[in-house]
Structures are given as structure tokens and as C-alpha cells.
Amino acid sequence: MPELEWSQAIELPRVFAGATKPSDIRRAWIHRAPEEHVLALYRAACRTGGPVPAPWWLRALATGELPGRENGFRVEDRIAQLLGRRPGWEYVPWAVDGESGYWEFMPSEGGKTGHRIPTTVLTTDRHPGWIDVLPAHSQGTPDPIPVAGLAGLRSRLGEFEAVR
């Protein structure tokens, strides 16, 4: 039963094609319900076995690495403020179930390099900087580059945008 409840809890709106930033898709129960209820249901779903789809911020919250859901939203919103103003960056709202979407640098796809997959900025619970970058690539997914928070992303954007 917790698995069914969880799948309903993370369900996003059916129409979010016009989403240009993560806050545009924060409409699921996990985004609105009291944080302690979200954590309780997430933990119950995790007890059933295999991996449970969940946003990065909830996994970090459940392990005590992130103090609150709003902190995760703030990370996503600050990335959106930075990348949303820069040419070539597009927000992709249709991530894996439960995830918050990601950003792609479209000029890194095709062009001189011929890469089929553009440079991608993802939020993550893998490290306390909360941001990973997947370099543009064509075959095999490269290891993510851990970035030291928004300041680290800002300082390295030239490097990440140089691939065209």
C-alpha cells in the first residue's frame, strides 16, 4: 500500500510543457503537504525494498543532509535564476519520476563537437554542493562533475559553456 500512496504523492501535473523553471512543476503532494507527512510516507515506501523515486532534496532531507524542503527549493530556484538569464540554457521539466527536472546547454549539442547529448546541470544528493554537471557527450554517460554549490557553478560556467 505505501508504494501506491507514494506513486500518487509524487505524481506531477499532466500538463507542464510550458514550465521554464523547477517552481513551475512543484504541484505534487510532496511539494505541498506538511514536511513531516512527506518524510513519513517516503520512509514507509523505502521500507518495502527497492529504490523509491524521489526528488534529490527529499533523499537529502531523509538522511539529515538538508535541513528542510524549502532549502532544496531554494537551491533549484537559484540555479534557475542563474541559468534562466543566460543564452543557450533550457529547463527540461520531464525528468524521471519524482525528480525536479534539469538544465541543458543547447549550444553544446551538435555543432563542431557533434555531441548528441548537451551539457546538463542536475541537482543531486550525492554531495553537499547539490549540483552535478554532465559534460556534453555522444556515447556512454560520463561521470558527473560535482560542483560546489551555486558559487561553484557560477565560477565554472565559462568552462561548461565552452563546449559547442
Side-chain angles (χ1 to χ4, degrees):
M1 194 64 142
E3 298 105 329
L4 177 57
E5 284 183 77
W6 186 251
S7 69
Q8 292 173 336
I10 63 171
E11 192 170 334
L12 292 173
R14 293 284 179 229
V15 180
F16 56 85
T20 60
K21 57 190 180 298
S23 62
D24 291 343
I25 64 168
R26 290 188 197 128
R27 307 273 186 269
W29 180 84
I30 59 170
H31 301 113
R32 299 176 280 108
E35 201 169 283
E36 63 274 7
H37 295 167
V38 174
L39 270 171
L41 182 57
Y42 173 71
R43 288 180 174 136
C46 286
R47 284 193 292 272
T48 63
V52 174
W56 71 275
W57 54 261
L58 182 53
R59 293 188 302 267
L61 183 62
T63 60
E65 298 294 318
L66 192 68
R69 170 175 60 194
E70 289 300 320
N71 297 77
F73 293 168
R74 195 171 308 115
V75 169
E76 293 174 352
D77 293 343
R78 287 180 177 164
I79 294 170
Q81 288 171 351
L82 175 64
L83 299 182
R85 293 187 296 229
R86 295 181 71 88
W89 288 98
E90 289 186 24
Y91 177 66
V92 180
W94 51 85
V96 210
D97 283 346
E99 285 292 346
S100 305
Y102 52 90
W103 291 85
E104 291 183 334
F105 185 61
M106 300 315 291
S108 65
E109 182 178 23
K112 293 179 189 175
T113 59
H115 293 301
R116 291 189 352 250
I117 310 294
T119 299
T120 306
V121 172
L122 309 154
T123 44
T124 183
D125 61 318
R126 288 181 340 105
H127 57 85
W130 310 125
I131 301 170
D132 275 347
V133 173
L134 288 177
H137 59 284
S138 293
Q139 296 181 10
T141 305
D143 290 334
I145 300 168
V147 177
L150 189 66
L153 181 60
R154 186 180 295 113
S155 71
R156 296 183 73 185
L157 269 178
E159 168 191 343
F160 298 137
E161 292 175 346
V163 177
R164 294 179 184 249

